[in-house]
Amino acid sequence: MSLKNSKIIVVKIGSSLLVDSNKKIRKKWLSSFAKDIKKLKDKNQKVVIVSSGAIALGCKKMNINKKTIKLDKSQAIASIGQIELMNLFSQTFTKYKLNISQILLTLEDTEERRRSLNAKRTFENLFDLGFIPIVNENDTIATTEIKYGDNDRLASRVAQISDADTLILLSDVNGLYTKNPKIYKDAKLIKNVNNLKKDLKEINIKGVNEYGSGGMETKIEAAKICQLAGCNMVIANGLNLNPISMINEKNNCTWFNSKVSKLDARKKWIISSVAPKGSIIIDDGAKKALRSGKSLLAAGIKKISGKFSKGDHVKILDKKNNECARGLSSFTSDEIVKIMGHHSNQIEKLLGYVAKSEVIHKDDMVEI
């Protein structure tokens, strides 16, 4: 695999690539990274950068230990660090005649369809203007409940929203190994992953690596989102100078290859949800109906869990709690409790008002 055929590329960089262990900014590295981005732009490839570092740079400016700050104070530190971060990018990228813009996102911005479509249009307009969007999680307002908490999954959602062909996760190792390469000398780099379930069956993901805010687990979650959205993903060593050029030249990294054709925008958004609001458990008859492309009706619902509103993402589980689909609910969780197990022609009587006959319409559902 290579980056040559990618029209849109999302690159995620962590704070450890920008600031070293001595809290010094890695200016030489950032300059080499900018050169790489310039090369992509010169080939008419569109680039989005998802970057950590606001809190790290805020702590550096205020001379505060990141490990000791609480959430409310970290939000203030992030506010200070955002300016430092963008100034750092601006000073470096301007030298290579690269124009940048900033986009701040929270979990809700990517999970709500209206907001995600607005973000998509912003990316498209910035591409047309020749600018490089730099995306950060909006740590200044996000609470624990509405945070991604790691930039791997945020980057995968940005890749999905922007219709990217490739997501690059720059890390502190070359890629995914069979064992932790920092402990075991016989650890082997896995070059290609075509099927997440089969290819990673024998690997203990929790024990492979421990790095970044999420570790390897969040990178695998990001790969799932990308593969379902028809986007390739690569984990590569970001500590090298010119890290993107190294991918093209040496290819000493792990590629997660998507075999899925790009789903239409609506279904792509549904399947990639990081935080479904609840679950609907269905019977075998309903499961069979879904497999044949039909909508989910109230009669086939056995149980629900979670509290959700109309239009929210929900998981659809079979009787053994295996996820078989995801969709957008046409009813609130309270309404479903009243109508589940009943035929569609009884819904109006049970609720006291006219409502849709499908709990989840087939056009709002993606089979898994």
Side-chain angles (χ1 to χ4, degrees):
M1 292 292 293
S2 74
L3 302 171
K4 292 177 183 177
N5 297 322
S6 298
K7 293 179 181 178
I8 301 175
I9 298 170
V10 175
V11 187
K12 176 259 176 179
I13 59 176
S15 55
S16 62
L17 299 180
L18 295 172
V19 182
D20 66 20
S21 56
N22 296 318
K23 295 185 179 180
K24 289 185 178 180
I25 295 168
R26 301 180 68 217
K27 291 184 179 179
K28 189 176 179 181
W29 179 87
L30 187 57
S31 183
S32 78
F33 177 70
K35 283 183 185 177
D36 277 352
I37 301 299
K38 175 67 173 169
K39 286 180 183 177
L40 296 176
K41 289 282 289 176
D42 287 346
K43 294 174 185 173
N44 293 318
Q45 291 174 294
K46 298 166 183 174
V47 182
V48 180
I49 298 169
V50 177
S51 175
S52 307
I55 293 177
L57 288 172
C59 287
K60 174 179 167 56
K61 185 174 179 67
M62 302 301 293
N63 198 24
I64 295 173
N65 188 334
K66 184 180 176 182
K67 294 179 181 178
T68 62
I69 58 175
K70 295 181 179 178
L71 178 63
D72 57 345
K73 195 166 185 178
S74 72
Q75 291 172 330
I77 297 298
S79 176
I80 295 165
Q82 289 290 0
I83 296 173
E84 298 295 308
L85 181 64
M86 292 312 294
N87 280 340
L88 182 59
F89 273 108
S90 182
Q91 289 164 11
T92 308
F93 278 46
T94 299
K95 294 175 186 175
Y96 300 95
K97 297 181 179 178
L98 296 169
N99 296 313
I100 63 169
S101 66
Q102 184 181 36
I103 296 178
L104 296 172
L105 293 176
T106 64
L107 180 66
E108 291 180 333
D109 292 325
T110 60
E111 296 303 293
E112 289 188 15
R113 180 157 178 78
R114 180 177 59 81
R115 291 193 194 180
S116 69
L117 287 175
N118 285 340
K120 179 181 174 64
R121 280 192 285 270
T122 301
F123 285 124
E124 290 170 350
N125 288 327
L126 287 168
F127 292 151
D128 290 341
L129 292 168
F131 276 65
I132 299 167
I134 297 181
V135 179
N136 314 113
E137 180 158 17
N138 196 348
D139 293 314
T140 60
I141 63 168
T143 61
T144 305
E145 292 78 17
I146 61 167
K147 276 177 68 68
Y148 271 95
D150 66 88
N151 274 7
D152 296 324
R153 292 184 302 163
L154 172 61
S156 68
R157 289 295 269 152
V158 169
Q160 177 262 316
I161 290 169
S162 63
D163 264 335
D165 303 290
T166 303
L167 167 62
I168 301 172
L169 297 183
L170 293 178
S171 181
D172 64 350
V173 289
N174 291 329
L176 175 62
Y177 284 80
T178 52
K179 302 176 184 178
N180 191 330
K182 296 174 182 177
I183 300 174
Y184 302 99
K185 289 183 179 180
D186 62 340
K188 293 180 180 178
L189 178 67
I190 301 169
K191 288 291 191 82
N192 285 284
V193 177
N194 295 314
N195 185 305
L196 284 165
K197 285 185 179 178
K198 290 181 181 178
D199 295 348
L200 305 185
K201 192 176 180 182
E202 304 298 323
I203 297 173
N204 175 18
I205 298 299
K206 288 184 179 180
V208 172
N209 303 99
E210 290 182 8
Y211 55 87
S213 59
M216 188 54 75
E217 285 182 272
T218 63
K219 288 170 176 55
I220 300 301
E221 286 300 313
K224 288 178 183 177
I225 293 169
C226 284
Q227 288 200 336
L228 289 167
C231 174
N232 296 320
M233 189 186 97
V234 57
I235 301 174
N237 197 326
L239 295 174
N240 298 316
L241 294 178
N242 304 106
I244 298 174
S245 294
M246 292 286 282
I247 295 172
N248 278 328
E249 292 165 13
K250 303 221 172 164
N251 204 29
N252 192 36
C253 49
T254 301
W255 281 93
F256 294 80
N257 306 310
S258 176
K259 300 296 182 183
V260 181
S261 61
K262 288 196 173 183
L263 299 169
D264 65 86
R266 186 173 180 79
K267 293 202 172 185
K268 220 194 304 186
W269 175 72
I270 293 169
I271 199 69
S272 301
S273 173
V274 172
K277 302 291 186 181
S279 300
I280 297 176
I281 295 89
I282 60 174
D283 61 25
D284 292 337
K287 184 178 179 180
K288 187 177 180 182
L290 298 191
R291 291 277 185 260
S292 61
K294 294 182 180 178
S295 299
L296 176 62
L297 304 178
I301 298 174
K302 304 298 290 182
K303 185 182 175 184
I304 70 161
S305 65
K307 192 88 171 173
F308 50 89
S309 304
K310 290 180 183 179
D312 279 347
H313 285 96
V314 292
K315 290 182 179 181
I316 302 170
L317 311 175
D318 62 19
K319 291 193 297 184
K320 295 180 180 178
N321 278 331
N322 295 316
E323 187 176 357
C324 51
R326 287 193 189 187
L328 305 179
S329 179
S330 299
F331 294 85
T332 67
S333 50
D334 291 337
E335 288 173 330
I336 295 175
V337 169
K338 294 176 183 177
I339 65 174
M340 63 184 186
H342 295 279
H343 289 289
S344 300
N345 58 13
Q346 296 177 287
I347 290 177
E348 184 179 351
K349 184 179 178 181
L350 290 166
L351 296 180
Y353 46 84
V354 178
K356 291 185 177 182
S357 57
E358 306 93 354
V359 173
I360 301 180
H361 193 276
K362 61 183 180 181
D363 292 340
D364 292 334
M365 183 163 44
V366 183
E367 190 180 325
I368 293 178

mmCIF file of all heavy atoms in Angstrom, residues 152-178:
data_model
loop_
_atom_site.group_PDB
_atom_site.id
_atom_site.type_symbol
_atom_site.label_atom_id
_atom_site.label_comp_id
_atom_site.label_asym_id
_atom_site.label_seq_id
_atom_site.Cartn_x
_atom_site.Cartn_y
_atom_site.Cartn_z
ATOM 1 N N ASP A 152 -7.056 9.219 18.482
ATOM 2 C CA ASP A 152 -7.103 8.172 17.461
ATOM 3 C C ASP A 152 -8.523 8.053 16.903
ATOM 4 O O ASP A 152 -8.735 8.080 15.688
ATOM 5 C CB ASP A 152 -6.662 6.824 18.045
ATOM 6 C CG ASP A 152 -5.208 6.841 18.484
ATOM 7 O OD1 ASP A 152 -4.401 7.498 17.806
ATOM 8 O OD2 ASP A 152 -4.892 6.199 19.507
ATOM 9 N N ARG A 153 -9.480 7.918 17.788
ATOM 10 C CA ARG A 153 -10.874 7.786 17.336
ATOM 11 C C ARG A 153 -11.392 9.096 16.756
ATOM 12 O O ARG A 153 -12.168 9.088 15.799
ATOM 13 C CB ARG A 153 -11.766 7.296 18.480
ATOM 14 C CG ARG A 153 -11.477 5.860 18.892
ATOM 15 C CD ARG A 153 -12.435 5.384 19.949
ATOM 16 N NE ARG A 153 -12.384 6.240 21.122
ATOM 17 C CZ ARG A 153 -13.330 6.255 22.071
ATOM 18 N NH1 ARG A 153 -14.393 5.492 21.951
ATOM 19 N NH2 ARG A 153 -13.208 7.033 23.122
ATOM 20 N N LEU A 154 -10.979 10.228 17.346
ATOM 21 C CA LEU A 154 -11.349 11.520 16.781
ATOM 22 C C LEU A 154 -10.851 11.615 15.341
ATOM 23 O O LEU A 154 -11.584 12.025 14.438
ATOM 24 C CB LEU A 154 -10.760 12.655 17.613
ATOM 25 C CG LEU A 154 -10.907 14.078 17.029
ATOM 26 C CD1 LEU A 154 -12.360 14.460 16.856
ATOM 27 C CD2 LEU A 154 -10.189 15.100 17.905
ATOM 28 N N ALA A 155 -9.609 11.203 15.116
ATOM 29 C CA ALA A 155 -9.033 11.253 13.770
ATOM 30 C C ALA A 155 -9.791 10.356 12.801
ATOM 31 O O ALA A 155 -9.999 10.717 11.634
ATOM 32 C CB ALA A 155 -7.558 10.843 13.819
ATOM 33 N N SER A 156 -10.230 9.186 13.282
ATOM 34 C CA SER A 156 -10.978 8.271 12.399
ATOM 35 C C SER A 156 -12.325 8.861 12.008
ATOM 36 O O SER A 156 -12.795 8.682 10.885
ATOM 37 C CB SER A 156 -11.160 6.905 13.074
ATOM 38 O OG SER A 156 -12.025 6.996 14.197
ATOM 39 N N ARG A 157 -12.944 9.597 12.930
ATOM 40 C CA ARG A 157 -14.229 10.242 12.621
ATOM 41 C C ARG A 157 -14.028 11.421 11.680
ATOM 42 O O ARG A 157 -14.835 11.669 10.787
ATOM 43 C CB ARG A 157 -14.911 10.693 13.911
ATOM 44 C CG ARG A 157 -15.430 9.545 14.753
ATOM 45 C CD ARG A 157 -16.536 8.797 14.057
ATOM 46 N NE ARG A 157 -17.838 9.345 14.406
ATOM 47 C CZ ARG A 157 -18.906 9.302 13.623
ATOM 48 N NH1 ARG A 157 -18.823 8.789 12.425
ATOM 49 N NH2 ARG A 157 -20.051 9.801 14.020
ATOM 50 N N VAL A 158 -12.929 12.137 11.860
ATOM 51 C CA VAL A 158 -12.596 13.231 10.942
ATOM 52 C C VAL A 158 -12.343 12.664 9.539
ATOM 53 O O VAL A 158 -12.778 13.234 8.535
ATOM 54 C CB VAL A 158 -11.367 14.020 11.437
ATOM 55 C CG1 VAL A 158 -10.846 14.967 10.366
ATOM 56 C CG2 VAL A 158 -11.720 14.803 12.699
ATOM 57 N N ALA A 159 -11.664 11.509 9.476
ATOM 58 C CA ALA A 159 -11.413 10.854 8.189
ATOM 59 C C ALA A 159 -12.726 10.468 7.524
ATOM 60 O O ALA A 159 -12.901 10.650 6.312
ATOM 61 C CB ALA A 159 -10.535 9.617 8.393
ATOM 62 N N GLN A 160 -13.648 9.960 8.318
ATOM 63 C CA GLN A 160 -14.960 9.560 7.778
ATOM 64 C C GLN A 160 -15.751 10.768 7.297
ATOM 65 O O GLN A 160 -16.302 10.771 6.201
ATOM 66 C CB GLN A 160 -15.724 8.792 8.863
ATOM 67 C CG GLN A 160 -17.121 8.369 8.478
ATOM 68 C CD GLN A 160 -18.155 9.342 9.015
ATOM 69 O OE1 GLN A 160 -18.086 9.761 10.162
ATOM 70 N NE2 GLN A 160 -19.113 9.707 8.187
ATOM 71 N N ILE A 161 -15.781 11.834 8.114
ATOM 72 C CA ILE A 161 -16.542 13.033 7.766
ATOM 73 C C ILE A 161 -15.976 13.720 6.526
ATOM 74 O O ILE A 161 -16.723 14.200 5.661
ATOM 75 C CB ILE A 161 -16.574 14.029 8.954
ATOM 76 C CG1 ILE A 161 -17.449 13.477 10.080
ATOM 77 C CG2 ILE A 161 -17.092 15.402 8.527
ATOM 78 C CD1 ILE A 161 -17.345 14.253 11.378
ATOM 79 N N SER A 162 -14.658 13.762 6.425
ATOM 80 C CA SER A 162 -14.017 14.469 5.310
ATOM 81 C C SER A 162 -13.887 13.606 4.054
ATOM 82 O O SER A 162 -13.329 14.037 3.054
ATOM 83 C CB SER A 162 -12.630 14.966 5.736
ATOM 84 O OG SER A 162 -11.783 13.875 6.060
ATOM 85 N N ASP A 163 -14.404 12.366 4.105
ATOM 86 C CA ASP A 163 -14.313 11.431 2.978
ATOM 87 C C ASP A 163 -12.872 11.097 2.617
ATOM 88 O O ASP A 163 -12.528 10.955 1.440
ATOM 89 C CB ASP A 163 -15.044 11.967 1.736
ATOM 90 C CG ASP A 163 -16.458 11.421 1.631
ATOM 91 O OD1 ASP A 163 -16.705 10.341 2.177
ATOM 92 O OD2 ASP A 163 -17.309 12.083 1.024
ATOM 93 N N ALA A 164 -12.027 10.972 3.611
ATOM 94 C CA ALA A 164 -10.613 10.684 3.377
ATOM 95 C C ALA A 164 -10.416 9.272 2.829
ATOM 96 O O ALA A 164 -11.197 8.359 3.098
ATOM 97 C CB ALA A 164 -9.821 10.848 4.673
ATOM 98 N N ASP A 165 -9.358 9.127 2.047
ATOM 99 C CA ASP A 165 -8.985 7.813 1.517
ATOM 100 C C ASP A 165 -8.040 7.093 2.465
ATOM 101 O O ASP A 165 -8.009 5.868 2.513
ATOM 102 C CB ASP A 165 -8.308 7.976 0.154
ATOM 103 C CG ASP A 165 -9.187 8.708 -0.838
ATOM 104 O OD1 ASP A 165 -10.186 8.128 -1.269
ATOM 105 O OD2 ASP A 165 -8.884 9.879 -1.156
ATOM 106 N N THR A 166 -7.238 7.872 3.217
ATOM 107 C CA THR A 166 -6.247 7.280 4.125
ATOM 108 C C THR A 166 -6.145 8.095 5.409
ATOM 109 O O THR A 166 -6.146 9.323 5.373
ATOM 110 C CB THR A 166 -4.847 7.237 3.474
ATOM 111 O OG1 THR A 166 -4.922 6.513 2.241
ATOM 112 C CG2 THR A 166 -3.843 6.544 4.390
ATOM 113 N N LEU A 167 -6.064 7.376 6.533
ATOM 114 C CA LEU A 167 -5.776 7.989 7.826
ATOM 115 C C LEU A 167 -4.395 7.510 8.264
ATOM 116 O O LEU A 167 -4.121 6.306 8.292
ATOM 117 C CB LEU A 167 -6.815 7.583 8.871
ATOM 118 C CG LEU A 167 -6.465 7.891 10.341
ATOM 119 C CD1 LEU A 167 -6.295 9.389 10.564
ATOM 120 C CD2 LEU A 167 -7.521 7.323 11.286
ATOM 121 N N ILE A 168 -3.515 8.457 8.588
ATOM 122 C CA ILE A 168 -2.178 8.130 9.100
ATOM 123 C C ILE A 168 -2.149 8.421 10.595
ATOM 124 O O ILE A 168 -2.386 9.554 11.009
ATOM 125 C CB ILE A 168 -1.089 8.975 8.403
ATOM 126 C CG1 ILE A 168 -1.096 8.749 6.891
ATOM 127 C CG2 ILE A 168 0.281 8.654 8.989
ATOM 128 C CD1 ILE A 168 -0.177 9.698 6.127
ATOM 129 N N LEU A 169 -1.879 7.404 11.402
ATOM 130 C CA LEU A 169 -1.694 7.599 12.836
ATOM 131 C C LEU A 169 -0.191 7.536 13.117
ATOM 132 O O LEU A 169 0.422 6.469 13.033
ATOM 133 C CB LEU A 169 -2.414 6.508 13.649
ATOM 134 C CG LEU A 169 -3.940 6.432 13.537
ATOM 135 C CD1 LEU A 169 -4.473 5.341 14.478
ATOM 136 C CD2 LEU A 169 -4.605 7.756 13.866
ATOM 137 N N LEU A 170 0.404 8.678 13.395
ATOM 138 C CA LEU A 170 1.836 8.714 13.705
ATOM 139 C C LEU A 170 2.023 8.414 15.187
ATOM 140 O O LEU A 170 1.474 9.099 16.043
ATOM 141 C CB LEU A 170 2.427 10.080 13.345
ATOM 142 C CG LEU A 170 2.451 10.393 11.847
ATOM 143 C CD1 LEU A 170 3.019 11.788 11.606
ATOM 144 C CD2 LEU A 170 3.254 9.349 11.072
ATOM 145 N N SER A 171 2.809 7.379 15.492
ATOM 146 C CA SER A 171 2.969 6.884 16.850
ATOM 147 C C SER A 171 4.447 6.889 17.246
ATOM 148 O O SER A 171 5.269 7.502 16.585
ATOM 149 C CB SER A 171 2.373 5.476 16.925
ATOM 150 O OG SER A 171 2.473 4.966 18.220
ATOM 151 N N ASP A 172 4.774 6.179 18.321
ATOM 152 C CA ASP A 172 6.170 6.094 18.759
ATOM 153 C C ASP A 172 6.789 4.738 18.445
ATOM 154 O O ASP A 172 7.881 4.415 18.895
ATOM 155 C CB ASP A 172 6.291 6.407 20.253
ATOM 156 C CG ASP A 172 5.580 5.390 21.132
ATOM 157 O OD1 ASP A 172 4.835 4.551 20.580
ATOM 158 O OD2 ASP A 172 5.757 5.430 22.360
ATOM 159 N N VAL A 173 6.064 3.914 17.666
ATOM 160 C CA VAL A 173 6.593 2.640 17.183
ATOM 161 C C VAL A 173 6.245 2.525 15.700
ATOM 162 O O VAL A 173 5.467 3.309 15.169
ATOM 163 C CB VAL A 173 5.994 1.432 17.950
ATOM 164 C CG1 VAL A 173 6.517 1.376 19.371
ATOM 165 C CG2 VAL A 173 4.470 1.471 17.935
ATOM 166 N N ASN A 174 6.822 1.532 15.037
ATOM 167 C CA ASN A 174 6.625 1.402 13.590
ATOM 168 C C ASN A 174 5.222 0.963 13.201
ATOM 169 O O ASN A 174 4.785 1.186 12.073
ATOM 170 C CB ASN A 174 7.636 0.406 13.006
ATOM 171 C CG ASN A 174 9.053 0.956 13.053
ATOM 172 O OD1 ASN A 174 9.251 2.161 12.960
ATOM 173 N ND2 ASN A 174 10.027 0.076 13.216
ATOM 174 N N GLY A 175 4.526 0.314 14.127
ATOM 175 C CA GLY A 175 3.180 -0.165 13.800
ATOM 176 C C GLY A 175 2.703 -1.165 14.828
ATOM 177 O O GLY A 175 3.118 -1.141 15.993
ATOM 178 N N LEU A 176 1.859 -2.073 14.391
ATOM 179 C CA LEU A 176 1.316 -3.113 15.271
ATOM 180 C C LEU A 176 2.226 -4.340 15.217
ATOM 181 O O LEU A 176 2.544 -4.844 14.143
ATOM 182 C CB LEU A 176 -0.099 -3.487 14.825
ATOM 183 C CG LEU A 176 -0.779 -4.644 15.564
ATOM 184 C CD1 LEU A 176 -0.958 -4.318 17.038
ATOM 185 C CD2 LEU A 176 -2.123 -4.975 14.929
ATOM 186 N N TYR A 177 2.629 -4.779 16.387
ATOM 187 C CA TYR A 177 3.521 -5.943 16.493
ATOM 188 C C TYR A 177 2.772 -7.147 17.069
ATOM 189 O O TYR A 177 1.722 -7.004 17.698
ATOM 190 C CB TYR A 177 4.718 -5.622 17.385
ATOM 191 C CG TYR A 177 5.769 -4.753 16.745
ATOM 192 C CD1 TYR A 177 5.597 -3.370 16.655
ATOM 193 C CD2 TYR A 177 6.939 -5.308 16.222
ATOM 194 C CE1 TYR A 177 6.577 -2.567 16.065
ATOM 195 C CE2 TYR A 177 7.922 -4.517 15.638
ATOM 196 C CZ TYR A 177 7.737 -3.151 15.562
ATOM 197 O OH TYR A 177 8.695 -2.354 14.974
ATOM 198 N N THR A 178 3.365 -8.317 16.873
ATOM 199 C CA THR A 178 2.799 -9.541 17.439
ATOM 200 C C THR A 178 2.919 -9.552 18.960
ATOM 201 O O THR A 178 2.120 -10.155 19.664
ATOM 202 C CB THR A 178 3.509 -10.782 16.874
ATOM 203 O OG1 THR A 178 4.929 -10.617 17.052
ATOM 204 C CG2 THR A 178 3.205 -10.957 15.393
#
